[in-house]
Amino acid sequence: MALLSAAMRDEIERRKECIRRVWDYRPVDHIPVMLRVESNPWGYTTRDHFLDGDKQFRLELEKVRLSLEMVPDDYIPSMRPDVGCVVIESALGGEVVFGDNAEQTCTIRRPLLASIDEAYRLKPPDPWSDGLVPEGLRRVRSFVERTDGQVPVSCLDMGGAMNVAFTLLGSEACLTAMVEAPEALEYLAGFITDVFIRFAEATIEAAGGIDHVTCTDFPYWWHPEGRKGHCSDDISAMYSPAYFNRFSKPFNNRIFQRFGGGMLHNCGPNPCAGEYLSHDPPIRAVDLAYRFSRGDLPAFRKAFKGRGVIYFEFTGTPAENLADYRHVMEALAPDVIAIPCLTCGPDDDVRGIYEAFLAVAREYAARMEWQAP
């Protein structure tokens, strides 16, 4: 299925170059606006498309089609093959269940480990046979093949060492282990990281190579070459920078060392914001939920000046989102770049929404203190 003309492929390459420049703090005429159009004319629920790869492909293809047609600039087509956010947990034997609300994602029925000591009994799972992973890999391969490799896909939603440890142990046992059994928790985090890397490698193989994936985790935002590493660390919202440096950073580092120092996800809040960029290798960006992270703008301005990019997901009305983005610009410029990420429907004034954000994005770029061209 050929989606993109030669002219459109050239245009998308131009848009990618803008992302590369922004990640390097090189001048651009506007900060990219990550606007995507979503539509579900079939009325599929979240559970429907989690359980049926063909329905999910139909939804994702519709997003690509509408966004290419309706968003004037910046949009880079991509798809998200998604079987849920307990991929590693399922492969280790967690029972996958859905709740009563068909719009909610799945989870595992109960923590897999009765105590932190049971971490030592875990055996490495096989991505081609265990849990949700084989279906996820099938979807990755299918989505790439059905678009003739023209549309990159995200990898599976695997979280990261501490996110998965939190689910495997349960919240109380995981947080208690930081104090009472830190060596055992470090063992578990290392084991999970081994699994993450193996599953990411299998996903990249299924996609036909790393150039066909946006990054090594769930985001559909395209990451520049050499910076495809991504993991999630939502649990760091609940502990100090000292704990982050012991239980999160060493294991995140292994992912970034393998796939490039890309981006880290935490919905927020962000008590560890000052440590985010100082991974090894250093990362260049974070993706955050604005409503949970808006109180951390002063910390980000101090920690990210001239070297870190924030992807803010805005989920309000178009007017609310625009006001929030202007507030972000006022709080962070000229020191820190923030990229707005939002969705709208095909019946919305897509061009008008984009152009309103573009006006702020142009002003933002004009205010920035850029590195050398």
Side-chain angles (χ1 to χ4, degrees):
M1 178 188 298
L3 291 174
L4 307 177
S5 66
M8 179 54 73
R9 290 196 293 272
D10 289 342
E11 169 61 18
I12 290 169
E13 176 56 31
R14 182 190 66 80
R15 297 175 186 182
K16 288 180 177 180
E17 178 60 18
C18 184
I19 297 292
R20 296 184 190 106
R21 293 184 67 85
V22 165
W23 278 43
D24 285 334
Y25 272 69
R26 291 183 289 156
V28 294
D29 67 349
H30 72 278
I31 306 300
V33 177
M34 298 289 99
L35 176 62
R36 188 164 84 154
V37 183
E38 297 188 353
S39 181
N40 182 7
W42 306 277
Y44 298 146
T45 66
T46 298
R47 186 181 306 173
D48 286 338
H49 73 81
F50 272 21
L51 296 176
D52 189 321
D54 288 333
K55 291 178 179 178
Q56 190 169 84
F57 177 79
R58 195 172 296 131
L59 283 173
E60 292 296 308
L61 185 64
E62 183 72 354
K63 294 172 188 176
V64 170
R65 184 185 70 80
L66 289 171
S67 300
L68 286 171
E69 289 179 0
M70 302 181 74
V71 180
D73 197 358
D74 296 324
Y75 173 73
I76 298 172
S78 62
M79 291 183 169
R80 183 181 174 186
D82 193 359
V83 291
C85 59
V86 287
V87 172
I88 292 176
E89 296 91 332
S90 74
L92 291 171
E95 180 186 357
V96 178
V97 294
F98 286 89
D100 294 333
N101 185 344
E103 297 301 337
Q104 290 181 322
T105 185
C106 54
T107 185
I108 58 173
R109 185 176 297 279
R110 61 182 60 87
L112 189 64
L113 304 179
S115 72
I116 185 61
D117 292 335
E118 292 191 0
Y120 295 104
R121 69 169 174 79
L122 292 172
K123 303 298 182 185
D126 184 345
W128 305 103
S129 62
D130 291 334
L132 296 169
V133 194
E135 172 59 17
L137 297 179
R138 188 196 69 78
R139 292 188 194 188
V140 166
R141 178 179 288 112
S142 171
F143 284 22
V144 172
E145 290 178 349
R146 291 162 81 173
T147 59
D148 291 340
Q150 294 185 345
V151 179
V153 297
S154 66
C155 285
L156 304 181
D157 190 351
M158 295 189 291
M162 290 306 294
N163 275 19
V164 177
F166 198 81
T167 308
L168 293 176
L169 284 165
S171 57
E172 181 177 352
C174 184
L175 295 174
T176 300
M178 289 183 171
V179 178
E180 296 182 354
E183 293 83 6
L185 185 59
E186 287 172 323
Y187 173 86
L188 177 60
F191 175 88
I192 292 166
T193 304
D194 289 341
V195 175
F196 183 111
I197 291 172
R198 187 180 184 204
F199 285 6
E201 290 173 339
T203 307
I204 291 166
E205 179 184 343
I210 199 164
D211 289 341
H212 291 289
V213 303
T214 58
C215 66
T216 59
D217 198 15
F218 73 90
Y220 54 80
W221 305 303
W222 179 83
H223 291 37
E225 300 86 352
R227 295 171 174 170
K228 296 290 187 181
H230 186 285
C231 59
S232 299
D233 208 334
D234 300 271
I235 310 309
S236 66
M238 295 189 286
Y239 47 78
S240 70
Y243 282 119
F244 181 83
N245 285 336
R246 178 164 187 179
F247 296 107
S248 290
K249 189 181 291 183
F251 309 101
N252 299 343
N253 282 345
R254 292 181 51 206
I255 294 168
F256 297 129
Q257 287 162 3
R258 174 65 183 85
F259 301 108
M263 190 186 302
L264 182 72
H265 169 77
N266 174 25
C267 284
N270 302 272
C272 305
E275 297 296 328
Y276 284 162
L277 297 183
S278 59
H279 281 79
D280 179 18
I283 66 170
R284 300 295 295 186
V286 295
D287 53 293
L288 315 171
Y290 177 73
R291 64 183 177 132
F292 298 128
S293 299
R294 57 191 174 189
D296 299 319
L297 295 178
F300 280 112
R301 182 166 188 166
K302 179 180 179 181
F304 277 43
K305 182 178 180 179
R307 62 195 186 107
V309 178
I310 304 171
Y311 283 60
F312 270 127
E313 185 173 1
F314 294 102
T315 56
T317 67
E320 291 169 341
N321 292 338
L322 184 63
D324 287 338
Y325 188 52
R326 176 163 286 279
H327 171 68
V328 167
M329 176 186 69
E330 298 290 351
L332 297 181
D335 297 324
V336 177
I337 297 168
I339 294 177
C341 306
L342 60 155
T343 61
C344 60
D347 296 330
D348 293 329
D349 179 12
V350 177
R351 179 172 289 274
I353 292 170
Y354 175 82
E355 290 179 349
F357 269 84
L358 178 62
V360 179
R362 288 188 185 279
E363 181 180 350
Y364 203 151
R367 292 191 186 190
M368 283 301 303
E369 294 181 357
W370 298 104
Q371 305 291 337

